[in-house]
Amino acid sequence: MSGSGAAGAASGPAPPAQEEGMTWWYRWLCRLAGVLGAVSCAISGLFNCVTIHPLNIAAGVWMIMNAFILLLCEAPFCCQFVEFANTVAEKVDRLRSWQKAVFYCGHGEALRGAWPDVRLPNRNTISL
């Protein structure tokens, strides 16, 4: 019986970030960077939606959705009225740091790949 328990533990999910050799302050620094990245992404997405170009609006909505996902993963207390927020955060905490980085950077690259021509308008050419 004891052999099956050890085999089950070895094939389980990846260890949490605490067992990865990261100190507590580095984990909190990474979370803070994630939260600040989510806030800046949401603000940029909001400004990107203030236009009449449909591609810019779609890109802005995508950025706001990415910000929500990032906040959901890194700071579930910001999404306390979402029922599954803690479950998602626990699953993300079990990922290794490089897996989180690939996941978060993949969201940004998906935006760049989907809408490569989205740019903010040039302030010099806008006439009111």
Side-chain angles (χ1 to χ4, degrees):
M1 284 283 183
S2 64
S4 64
S11 64
Q18 297 138 352
E19 298 174 13
E20 207 176 314
M22 295 171 56
T23 59
W24 65 271
W25 60 268
Y26 187 71
R27 277 195 314 272
W28 279 102
L29 185 66
C30 291
R31 279 193 191 266
L32 179 66
V35 170
L36 291 177
V39 169
S40 69
C41 186
I43 291 171
S44 299
L46 187 65
F47 281 123
N48 210 17
C49 285
V50 183
T51 183
I52 58 172
H53 300 290
L55 284 179
N56 282 8
I57 294 171
V61 169
W62 182 267
M63 289 174 72
I64 292 170
M65 286 183 357
N66 280 339
F68 174 73
I69 291 170
L70 188 56
L71 275 177
L72 189 67
C73 294
E74 291 296 327
F77 60 86
C78 294
C79 309
Q80 60 184 337
F81 297 111
V82 179
E83 294 178 11
F84 56 90
N86 289 328
T87 307
V88 171
E90 288 171 3
K91 288 183 181 181
V92 169
D93 280 341
R94 281 187 251 143
L95 294 175
R96 296 194 182 276
S97 299
W98 68 267
Q99 291 170 329
K100 288 184 196 180
V102 167
F103 178 68
Y104 297 150
C105 292
H107 280 260
E109 289 303 314
L111 177 67
R112 179 186 286 185
W115 296 289
D117 295 332
V118 174
R119 292 189 179 92
L120 292 175
N122 188 353
R123 298 278 182 210
N124 295 334
T125 60
I126 296 177
S127 60
L128 298 176

